[in-house]
Amino acid sequence: MGRYLVRRLLQFIPVFVGATLLIFIMVWAIPGDPIAALAGDRVLPDTVREQIRDRYNLDDPLIVQYGKYMGGVFQGDFGDDFRGRPVTDLLAQRLPITVRLALFAFGFEVVLGIIAGILAGVRKGGFMDNLVLVSTLVVIAIPIFVLGFLAQLVMGVRLGWFPVSGVQRGLYSYLLPAMVLGSVSLAYIARLTRTSLIENLRADYVRTATAKGLSRRRVVGIHTFRNSMIPVVTFLAIDLGSLMGGAIITETIFNIPGLGRAVFEGVQRQEGTVVVGIVTFLVVVYMVANLAVDVLYAVLDPRIRYE
Amino acid sequence: MRAHALRRLLVLAVILAFVAAACGDEAEEATTTAATTTTGAAGSTTTTSSGDTTTTTAPFVIEPGLTGLSVVDDLTFTVQMAEADPEFPLKLAYAAYFPLPKVAFDDPAAYEESPIGNGPFMMDGAWEHDVVVPMKRFEAYAGPDPAQIERLEWTIIDDLNTAYNEVRAGNLDVLGPALPTDQIATAAVEFGDRYGLSSSTSFTYFGFPLYLPGYQDLDVRRALSMAIDRDLIVQQIYQNTRVAAFSTLPPIFQGARAHVCDNWDYNPDEARALWDSIDHPDSLIVWFNTGGGHEEWVEAAANMWRNTLGIEDITFESMEFSEYNPLLDAQGATGPFRLGWGQDYPSPLNFLEPLYASYNLPPIGSNNTWYDNPAFDGLIAQGKSAVAASSDLADGIPFYQQAEDVLCADVPIAPVWFRTNQFVYTEGIGSVYYDSYSDLGVTKITSDGGLVSVQLSEPEHLFPTNSNESNGIQALRALFTGLVQYDPSNNEMFFANAESIASDDGGLTWTITLKPGWTFHNGEAVTAWSYVNAWNYGANTVNAQQNNSFYAGIAGYAELNPAG
């Protein structure tokens, strides 16, 4: 187990270098001069433009730019954005916001999703099963921005139950966006849990357990449920990653200044430092989440061993 | 087994701790360290005794400076222009010409987090990035037009639909000068008397690539221009919330005419007849930039060309503005291209000279059609000398109108529409207007609760010499009062911080006198040096200020911006 962890952690290094290099190349390949674009319709004098390009090493060959960037990163300097603010400040400002939103959404989808999945799965074809199937289908079918604006208009503007947007009302501000953000994953989790549970309920060991005279509650709750969680946990790990980075639409609708919007704006402005810094961070989050899942497998299924 | 389980739990605990640490709010006050280069500051600090304008030591001076700027006394300085510029005073309302206190140069990056100006509002705490720029009334404001409200909050909301919902819910007080596209038709009904429309100068047109042989034929350009039904575009796509353009001068300007010549009018029959009678191109490539909502009207115009002129093969090329702008500057457009213009200052000259004068070619100038007509250049020169001779803007107008006639005859561009400011606000808010710069009139606005919150996108900068986009400038205009301002009712210039601005040599040398008794929000007196230092700082290439080109007309600019 210990050796396994070390090996997995060592794998982080090439993934980290590869990911940063790839993202760097992609940002670099976006056509247009980001510095000239800073001035919008107006013309930036060449002398000033050169001055700023110099400051961001934009005239160096790609690999030199990358080398300078990585050199800074290893000293804890993630560079500045085009407004002159350090990217580490940006991360420090936006990360807590995104983490709050992601954790709220994650908690919401895990709790409700698994409960709905179990309720549907234990009695296949029953009323709850059909209710869950139909409602999740509806949620999956509606695009997230429609759902977002609808929730905002109904629950925020008309009913006034939640803040319409922004993060100025503390944790309460995150509830509605988290529900919107988590809704689609919730539907997937419910369906995944249901299918997995139904499948496992037909397994031999379940019949054995039932034959031994164990109560239904124990058969489902202990023996089947744990095994059924393996595909769900796999999904959750990936989903946590996308919650951190993929909340652009929700963050925009609810005016939440999180990482997703920062990346989006960074791409638009071709701010290599911002995009690479944040995306690299997200890559690390993905990797850690995946590692956590692999470790969790062993908890869920004692037959799985790591060497 | 048990040991394994324990170790697993330990790993989980570590991961959870990592997430919890990331979740915490430990990064409260990350101080920004400035990487901006400041030029050497000579002289010792200016010490003022509580609003008293007498300086006890040598003034604080930014060096090196523009040779064209020299301070006469505390309240007077002179500006030597590289070439006579009779309209120089008109330009001085722009953010690039605001004064700066000494503290701005000590640490520009720190200053920007909570800018100190001389305007009707002062910062009420620091700029909270992506959330709010908070301001309150500056009680010691010496200007002619003090604020009516106690607090002004620029709430940062990027998405217009979200902002619109916030106004509906009553949380955001004012949204403008643009509304979400889906709401432009219904907003007037929904908000009733809390809806407003005002003139803007933002102008959108098709330019023709005169550098291509196919477009050097005047009749091709005439036919294309006359085939565009501007009224229909404005009606159908913008529900009359924009104004069809049959001229290049914004309707709000002195000297603007509703009709210039037939070439810019809609005349489908003549267009078709003309098109058929000439050796015309068989296909058309139409260029525009994405991200500005131009798709709809550009496609509509293309359909008009298809239907009226019978051009079957019309294709579109579009890209982000950051790519589009350099492409146009490199003569990359191979067909009609969309472009826009907004005022730097309200004068017809500002809508003619930069866009069509033969000496304003890209990449320095904005003459993206490569239009070159000595008659046009001559009329512009005549207009300028007429204004210089009498220092009355009105005397230039006949020449500017003739220049516009020349343009209309040559059709280097086809005007399409002028934007308007469209805004909505909540109950209890009064006297809302957006001026010709599309900025909110922050001093006139009233509020029952004394607080007004206004939508803004995150500014790039809040530093006068470095702010060149609308969000930053709009916020700065509440914090600063420049030498001159414009009366929103008639767009006429009046002196704000200036007592007088005069030239007796036709605009080559300007003597600027300030009104006495003005102070910055921190109590520092506003002196001639406040202006001269700010301009010298902005003009020096070492400081890489985005408004650098605004000082290009002042003598000595070239020395501070050596090529290469």
Side-chain angles (χ1 to χ4, degrees):
Chain A
M1 181 74 181
R3 211 187 298 157
Y4 172 76
L5 269 183
V6 171
R7 202 172 67 226
R8 284 292 300 266
L9 287 172
L10 283 177
Q11 282 173 3
F12 278 22
I13 297 169
V15 175
F16 180 80
V17 172
T20 46
L21 182 61
L22 268 179
I23 300 158
F24 215 90
I25 294 173
M26 285 191 266
V27 175
W28 183 77
I30 303 173
D33 178 358
I35 302 303
L38 276 183
D41 282 329
R42 301 177 193 286
V43 180
L44 210 54
D46 277 349
T47 51
V48 172
R49 202 166 53 90
E50 284 310 313
Q51 188 85 20
I52 303 178
R53 287 188 68 89
D54 257 10
R55 194 179 145 202
Y56 294 99
N57 305 319
L58 293 177
D59 290 324
D60 294 337
L62 174 66
I63 200 73
V64 176
Q65 282 187 41
Y66 181 71
K68 284 183 178 168
Y69 176 75
M70 287 310 274
V73 166
F74 284 117
Q75 293 163 37
D77 175 13
F78 283 79
D80 293 347
D81 67 8
F82 289 155
R83 298 173 188 195
R85 286 202 292 273
V87 173
T88 41
D89 281 11
L90 190 80
L91 263 174
Q93 179 205 335
R94 297 200 171 218
L95 182 63
I97 293 172
T98 290
V99 169
R100 269 181 225 132
L101 180 64
L103 287 186
F104 269 51
F106 195 67
F108 170 72
E109 67 185 43
V110 168
V111 173
L112 287 190
I114 291 179
I115 290 176
I118 292 174
L119 289 178
V122 289
R123 196 146 308 159
K124 188 181 170 222
F127 171 73
M128 276 310 289
D129 191 23
N130 282 316
L131 181 71
V132 168
L133 282 179
V134 171
S135 58
T136 52
L137 188 69
V138 170
V139 170
I140 292 171
I142 300 178
I144 189 112
F145 67 90
V146 176
L147 207 64
F149 276 121
L150 202 66
Q152 183 178 59
L153 190 64
V154 175
M155 310 238 239
V157 178
R158 299 269 180 266
L159 298 174
W161 290 348
F162 295 97
V164 177
S165 73
V167 291
Q168 281 161 306
R169 304 253 306 262
L171 290 179
Y172 188 47
S173 328
Y174 294 90
L175 278 184
L176 189 60
M179 285 195 260
V180 170
L181 182 60
S183 61
V184 175
S185 294
L186 186 156
Y188 284 124
I189 291 169
R191 287 175 156 242
L192 212 51
T193 308
R194 171 189 173 273
T195 316
S196 184
L197 195 65
I198 288 171
E199 208 166 290
N200 280 327
L201 278 173
R202 283 203 298 262
D204 290 344
Y205 68 88
V206 173
R207 199 170 39 213
T208 310
T210 315
K212 276 200 304 187
L214 294 181
S215 66
R216 173 86 175 157
R217 173 182 291 267
R218 218 176 142 71
V219 170
V220 175
I222 307 290
H223 292 267
T224 328
F225 174 67
R226 234 172 73 165
N227 277 323
S228 308
M229 279 299 99
I230 289 184
V232 179
V233 167
T234 313
F235 174 81
L236 287 180
I238 300 165
D239 196 52
L240 186 62
S242 31
L243 282 180
M244 296 285 293
I248 299 171
I249 296 171
T250 313
E251 285 182 0
T252 306
I253 293 174
F254 290 99
N255 198 37
I256 294 170
L259 286 180
R261 256 171 65 196
V263 174
F264 178 66
E265 287 159 19
V267 170
Q268 281 188 321
R269 300 158 63 97
Q270 296 180 48
E271 285 173 320
T273 48
V274 174
V275 180
V276 177
I278 295 177
V279 177
T280 306
F281 176 79
L282 295 177
V283 169
V284 172
V285 170
Y286 256 104
M287 291 193 294
V288 172
N290 265 312
L291 180 60
V293 169
D294 288 346
V295 173
L296 265 180
Y297 283 160
V299 178
L300 292 169
D301 187 344
R303 288 169 305 180
I304 297 175
R305 290 269 189 283
Y306 297 112
E307 289 310 330
Chain B
M1 174 63 210
R2 187 153 293 273
H4 271 258
L6 269 178
R7 228 178 295 162
R8 279 184 220 128
L9 275 177
L10 201 69
V11 174
L12 269 179
V14 169
I15 294 166
L16 281 177
F18 169 78
V19 174
C23 193
D25 236 352
E26 75 267 54
E28 272 292 293
E29 288 280 309
T31 46
T32 46
T33 43
T36 324
T37 343
T38 40
T39 50
S44 56
T45 53
T46 312
T47 45
T48 53
S49 46
S50 60
D52 189 350
T53 53
T54 51
T55 52
T56 51
T57 53
F60 171 80
V61 178
I62 289 284
E63 285 183 336
L66 294 159
T67 53
L69 295 178
S70 49
V71 173
V72 177
D73 60 44
D74 262 4
L75 295 177
T76 315
F77 65 105
T78 59
V79 185
Q80 172 86 38
M81 309 302 292
E83 284 171 40
D85 183 358
E87 296 200 343
F88 183 64
L90 292 175
K91 301 175 180 175
L92 297 174
Y94 191 71
Y97 302 105
F98 287 160
L100 283 172
K102 177 189 167 291
V103 64
F105 308 107
D106 294 344
D107 184 352
Y111 170 82
E112 207 172 335
E113 299 302 308
S114 188
I116 291 165
N118 65 336
F121 287 92
M122 61 192 287
M123 293 293 284
D124 187 13
W127 170 13
E128 203 180 328
H129 290 285
D130 303 297
V131 179
V132 68
V133 182
M135 296 183 188
K136 61 183 177 192
R137 183 165 57 200
F138 176 39
E139 302 296 345
Y141 182 58
D145 194 17
Q148 305 297 308
I149 51 172
E150 276 109 61
R151 288 197 300 138
L152 176 63
E153 273 181 10
W154 302 93
T155 308
I156 294 168
I157 303 179
D158 280 339
D159 191 84
L160 287 184
N161 282 298
T162 302
Y164 195 74
N165 273 343
E166 285 282 26
V167 182
R168 278 174 166 161
N171 302 329
L172 180 74
D173 292 325
V174 183
L175 173 63
L179 300 181
T181 332
D182 328 341
Q183 313 291 353
I184 56 173
T186 52
V189 179
E190 187 175 345
F191 283 86
D193 56 358
R194 291 180 289 114
Y195 165 89
L197 206 60
S198 68
S199 292
S200 143
T201 58
S202 174
F203 167 53
T204 293
Y205 61 89
F206 272 123
F208 297 116
L210 302 180
Y211 44 82
L212 292 179
Y215 290 90
Q216 278 160 6
D217 184 349
L218 171 64
D219 288 337
V220 168
R221 306 194 299 267
R222 282 180 59 206
L224 287 171
S225 173
M226 286 192 293
I228 304 173
D229 188 349
R230 296 154 177 89
D231 281 324
L232 193 67
I233 288 178
V234 163
Q235 255 167 37
Q236 293 299 316
I237 297 176
Y238 297 114
Q239 275 78 36
N240 289 322
T241 57
R242 290 179 191 192
V243 179
F246 305 99
S247 69
T248 61
L249 300 181
I252 191 176
F253 275 14
Q254 290 181 56
R257 294 167 292 176
H259 170 90
V260 178
C261 79
D262 295 341
N263 290 342
W264 283 342
D265 286 345
Y266 176 52
N267 195 336
D269 300 331
E270 206 184 324
R272 180 65 197 241
L274 190 62
W275 190 256
D276 287 341
S277 71
I278 55 174
D279 180 23
H280 58 71
D282 298 324
S283 63
L284 218 56
I285 304 174
V286 185
W287 297 74
F288 65 98
N289 63 295
T290 53
H294 296 295
E295 289 80 358
E296 270 189 278
W297 76 262
V298 168
E299 272 174 43
N303 276 332
M304 291 166 185
W305 286 329
R306 191 175 286 130
N307 297 336
T308 308
L309 304 180
I311 313 171
E312 284 304 324
D313 183 11
I314 299 184
T315 48
F316 299 97
E317 289 281 355
S318 60
M319 62 205 74
E320 285 287 325
F321 197 78
S322 61
E323 196 185 340
Y324 186 69
N325 206 26
L327 177 122
L328 294 189
D329 285 355
Q331 300 195 342
T334 53
F337 54 88
R338 180 312 301 177
L339 259 185
W341 189 252
Q343 71 177 10
D344 294 322
Y345 57 97
S347 156
L349 187 62
N350 187 232
F351 271 71
L352 295 170
E353 194 183 20
L355 295 177
Y356 317 106
S358 64
Y359 44 86
N360 276 331
L361 295 180
I364 306 299
S366 299
N367 182 356
N368 283 91
T369 58
W370 266 259
Y371 177 65
D372 182 357
N373 186 340
F376 176 86
D377 291 354
L379 285 162
I380 293 295
Q382 277 178 279
K384 279 160 88 174
S385 14
V387 175
S390 67
S391 8
D392 185 0
L393 182 61
D395 287 338
I397 284 172
F399 297 102
Y400 298 148
Q401 285 182 340
Q402 287 175 47
E404 198 187 14
D405 290 337
V406 172
L407 272 188
C408 191
D410 288 343
V411 206
I413 64 138
V416 185
W417 47 262
F418 293 104
R419 194 184 282 276
T420 54
N421 305 314
Q422 211 184 357
F423 48 92
V424 295
Y425 47 97
T426 51
E427 304 274 0
I429 307 292
S431 307
V432 183
Y433 74 88
Y434 277 80
D435 63 16
S436 60
Y437 285 94
S438 299
D439 290 339
L440 179 68
V442 290
T443 51
K444 300 278 193 298
I445 197 167
T446 61
S447 163
D448 291 351
L451 164 76
V452 172
S453 58
V454 190
Q455 181 266 344
L456 194 74
S457 283
E458 170 80 353
E460 258 179 41
H461 290 282
L462 285 183
F463 201 93
T465 53
N466 209 14
S467 284
N468 66 355
E469 41 77 50
S470 57
N471 299 299
I473 289 174
Q474 182 156 206
L476 285 177
R477 285 186 65 193
L479 294 173
F480 289 87
T481 299
L483 294 164
V484 304
Q485 285 185 339
Y486 290 93
D487 182 337
S489 61
N490 55 11
N491 228 21
E492 298 256 353
M493 186 191 88
F494 64 90
F495 291 137
N497 195 181
E499 180 80 55
S500 72
I501 303 175
S503 168
D504 48 20
D505 53 9
L508 196 59
T509 319
W510 291 92
T511 304
I512 298 174
T513 311
L514 306 180
K515 285 182 180 141
W518 282 55
T519 61
F520 287 105
H521 303 148
N522 62 357
E524 182 183 326
V526 179
T527 67
W529 281 112
S530 312
Y531 283 91
V532 171
N533 282 338
W535 300 2
N536 282 336
Y537 181 81
N540 194 327
T541 201
V542 174
N543 300 319
Q545 298 296 291
Q546 292 183 24
N547 283 332
N548 175 289
S549 59
F550 282 88
Y551 316 98
I554 303 174
Y557 174 81
E559 286 86 330
L560 288 185
N561 294 274

